[in-house]
Amino acid sequence: MQNPDEDAPVPTDVTRLDTLPRQMLEAYQEGDFKHSSLLAFSVVKETPTDQVGWIIHLESLFQGGQVLRALSSVDTALRMIPGSADLHRLRGEILVALGRDPEAEESLRESLSRDPENPLAVQALAAILTKGGREAEAAHLPHVDEVQDRQAAVLARLHRAGSVPSVDALRRIVAAAPAFAEAYAALADVMSATEDTLDLANVYARTVQLRPKAVRPRYGYARVLTDQGDLFEARDVIRAAVALRPEAPQGYFGMAYVLYFMMRSEGAAINHRRGTMLAPDHPGARLPIARVVDQVPHAELNWFFAD
């Protein structure tokens, strides 16, 4: 792997691996793309499969105008982590910048096959389709918020790539951009393991309000409402998720969870079977709903709602 900037050596004064990613993220957030790309390169040199490091490195190169270098690096990154939705998305955006739209479309569709509501990928693909006179195809893409602040969008998504931005950092993002649904979704995900359910429910409610056609936040919202005892509201939330994406097993597993606590055991079992038929390898399919709820530690239930 070649140094991304031969004129500026990779920093050697950072010796603690936990300090390096923090400095990398801070430099990127401040818009110091040259510094963040070098720090990120140090991260991936140490751990070639570090997805967060690759994303920050590539975003820094791309946003810093080093498009050809970004293309070479994204191909290296994809060899290391071929299943990353955000790396495929970045490759597509880089190819768009180079005027290679057909190749870009292929990469963006690959990204969306792994993460259907990736706002940056949807926005880029919609632009390609519209530019090519394919407005009807663009209209069938998932509805996402227009990304106004790319850095905020990237930081908000990093929790899906293996990073866990602090609650405080994400609160600052939503305070600065109160209509940015992606940041609210990230905040809800991070809070789900640490924060009180009342505050978490409010964040999920705001996420759903901002992105009414999004499905993933509804799973978490329904679970929190169930845990609070708001069972009828939880049922309505998960019912809407099933209606929006009836082919997704998570909605049926979620409905089973809610109905179980409503003491509608037959309905819970029926929905659990539907989820199992759609995804027999899903972790939720391995146990009957009663055993999921009664035997699995509550803090570990996120896997049951995994998208």
Side-chain angles (χ1 to χ4, degrees):
M1 192 183 300
Q2 297 298 313
N3 192 314
D5 192 336
E6 297 295 345
D7 297 326
V10 173
T12 57
D13 59 330
V14 179
T15 57
R16 291 180 57 194
L17 196 58
D18 61 337
T19 301
L20 188 58
R22 177 179 56 78
Q23 292 185 342
M24 169 189 76
L25 289 167
E26 288 174 354
Y28 175 75
Q29 188 167 0
E30 292 168 3
D32 186 354
F33 298 134
K34 183 172 183 179
H35 194 203
S36 62
S37 71
L38 291 170
L39 289 166
F41 184 77
S42 293
V43 169
V44 299
K45 186 177 181 181
E46 179 75 24
T47 309
T49 56
D50 189 306
Q51 187 176 194
V52 174
W54 278 115
I55 290 172
I56 293 296
H57 177 52
L58 292 162
E59 288 284 356
S60 298
L61 291 175
F62 185 47
Q63 294 175 57
Q66 300 185 63
V67 182
L68 289 174
R69 183 168 287 166
L71 179 61
S72 174
S73 294
V74 78
D75 287 338
T76 300
L78 280 167
R79 286 195 293 273
M80 302 295 178
I81 318 171
S84 169
D86 272 300
L87 291 179
H88 284 286
R89 181 264 303 171
L90 268 160
R91 187 173 191 275
E93 291 177 305
I94 291 164
L95 289 166
V96 168
L98 292 170
R100 294 161 60 176
D101 287 2
E103 295 171 78
E105 179 178 346
E106 182 178 349
S107 290
L108 292 167
R109 289 194 183 278
E110 181 65 29
S111 174
L112 291 172
S113 73
R114 300 170 186 277
D115 183 2
E117 294 175 357
N118 185 325
L120 292 163
V122 170
Q123 187 168 279
L125 181 56
I128 290 175
L129 296 175
T130 302
K131 178 182 174 183
R134 299 154 66 188
E135 290 84 355
E137 287 184 57
H140 284 91
L141 293 173
H143 172 77
V144 297
D145 306 304
E146 183 179 356
V147 177
Q148 302 288 348
D149 184 336
R150 186 181 184 90
Q151 284 166 263
V154 171
L155 289 166
R157 289 188 56 78
L158 283 180
H159 71 289
R160 298 185 187 180
S163 174
V164 182
S166 70
V167 170
D168 289 342
L170 288 166
R171 286 193 186 280
R172 286 194 294 270
I173 292 174
V174 299
F180 186 32
E182 185 76 10
Y184 276 96
L187 178 59
D189 281 353
V190 174
M191 289 174 62
S192 64
T194 59
E195 301 292 312
D196 67 89
T197 57
L198 181 60
D199 194 16
L200 177 57
N202 291 333
V203 174
Y204 271 126
R206 178 63 172 158
T207 306
V208 171
Q209 179 188 28
L210 289 170
R211 189 180 289 172
K213 294 185 179 180
V215 173
R216 189 170 180 268
R218 292 181 182 274
Y219 301 146
Y221 190 22
R223 178 190 165 188
V224 172
L225 290 170
T226 302
D227 295 345
Q228 290 181 342
D230 296 331
L231 300 177
F232 288 96
E233 186 175 354
R235 182 194 60 187
D236 291 344
V237 168
I238 201 70
R239 183 179 286 166
V242 171
L244 286 164
R245 195 183 294 171
E247 74 283 3
Q250 293 81 5
Y252 300 104
F253 288 130
M255 183 64 80
Y257 183 80
V258 175
L259 292 177
Y260 179 86
F261 283 99
M262 295 179 78
M263 294 188 291
R264 298 184 180 180
S265 57
E266 183 177 350
I270 289 170
N271 278 276
H272 187 270
R273 284 197 295 271
R274 287 174 179 167
T276 300
M277 288 176 63
L278 288 168
D281 294 329
H282 188 280
R286 298 172 189 168
L287 296 172
I289 182 63
R291 288 187 61 196
V292 169
V293 174
D294 292 345
Q295 296 185 17
V296 176
H298 186 268
E300 298 178 8
L301 269 174
N302 281 337
W303 60 263
F304 189 67
F305 294 86
D307 197 358

